[in-house]
Amino acid sequence: MVTIEFLGPIGRPILTMEASTLRDVAEALKQDAEMAQWIDSCAVAVNDTLVASLDTLLSDGDKISLLPPVCGG
């Protein structure tokens, strides 16, 4: 199981799901029309490290953070 947190204005509660890659997470989230608008524009971190590839492998217990471009910093 991985944990997904949605930062900034996405405003979703933390979600847990089975996934072996970030592509699995993206495909699952795109099933929700409201989430689909965020998927392509968000930066993604796995265990607090930014990643760029949807082929990033995930392990049980990983934390995925979706950071929309409006988070600033």
Side-chain angles (χ1 to χ4, degrees):
M1 287 285 232
V2 297
T3 301
I4 306 160
E5 65 177 357
F6 305 95
L7 303 177
I10 299 175
R12 290 284 183 115
I14 291 174
L15 174 70
T16 58
M17 66 182 295
E18 292 289 337
S20 57
T21 66
L22 282 179
R23 186 174 311 282
D24 296 337
V25 174
E27 292 302 319
L29 294 178
K30 284 182 179 180
Q31 300 303 311
D32 179 327
E34 187 177 317
M35 278 307 304
Q37 70 179 349
W38 291 106
I39 297 302
D40 294 327
S41 63
C42 285
V44 178
V46 176
N47 299 322
D48 300 321
T49 300
L50 289 175
V51 296
S53 174
L54 288 178
D55 295 322
T56 299
L57 295 176
L58 301 173
S59 298
D60 191 43
D62 280 350
K63 178 182 77 171
I64 299 149
S65 303
L66 295 181
L67 302 96
V70 294
C71 279

